Amino acid sequence: MAMQYHNSFQVSRPVFHPGAVRRLTARRERELPGGGLLWMASAKAAVLVAGVALLVSLLIGFGVSRVHDDMRAINERQHELKDEQIALLAERASLMSKQQISRRVATQLALYEAEQDQVFKVR
């Protein structure tokens, strides 16, 4: 007697709803590689780094602005001192003139230049 074996299993496809495959594919396309938590942490770190860079940039800009203001004030003061020096040198030159010295000695010390008949030469 020959034995006959009949395969009695049946291959069937899984049951999907018509739009299920499309939704699964679309979901996979929207997902970020590495997961959403990784990208959220990366975004937070990027915002933090950008904020720190902006703050450092503002601080450097403020420092540079202060240095420029200080240099401008120093230059203005230097010009004022140069003008004052020029005025003082002009005043000194006028005060050191022979006429000015004779006038001040006469008014303050009552000293006058001797005339020719008041000068005696002793040998």
Side-chain angles (χ1 to χ4, degrees):
M1 204 64 24
M3 288 181 134
Q4 285 186 318
Y5 290 103
H6 291 282
N7 288 341
S8 61
F9 69 92
Q10 188 178 14
V11 177
S12 66
R13 297 174 124 186
V15 179
F16 281 111
H17 296 286
V21 173
R22 229 177 291 127
R23 279 182 288 186
L24 285 175
T25 306
R27 183 182 300 157
R28 275 189 232 123
E29 288 175 0
R30 283 184 297 195
E31 287 181 8
L32 298 171
L37 290 176
L38 174 66
W39 284 96
M40 186 62 85
S42 298
K44 287 179 182 178
V47 167
L48 180 66
V49 167
V52 168
L54 180 65
L55 180 65
V56 168
S57 174
L58 287 173
L59 289 175
I60 289 173
F62 178 70
V64 168
S65 175
R66 281 189 49 196
V67 168
H68 283 295
D69 291 343
D70 290 346
M71 288 177 62
R72 190 176 307 115
I74 288 170
N75 283 337
E76 288 174 5
R77 181 66 179 144
Q78 184 180 17
H79 288 299
E80 290 172 5
L81 289 174
K82 282 285 188 185
D83 292 343
E84 187 177 340
Q85 180 185 21
I86 290 170
L88 289 173
L89 287 173
E91 184 181 355
R92 179 178 182 262
S94 71
L95 290 175
M96 295 298 286
S97 70
K98 185 175 180 180
Q99 294 85 11
Q100 185 68 17
I101 291 174
S102 297
R103 199 175 309 130
R104 291 196 89 183
V105 166
T107 57
Q108 292 179 354
L109 301 175
L111 294 176
Y112 297 96
E113 193 171 333
E115 295 177 12
Q116 284 296 340
D117 61 344
Q118 293 176 328
V119 176
F120 299 102
K121 292 183 183 180
V122 179
R123 292 187 188 190

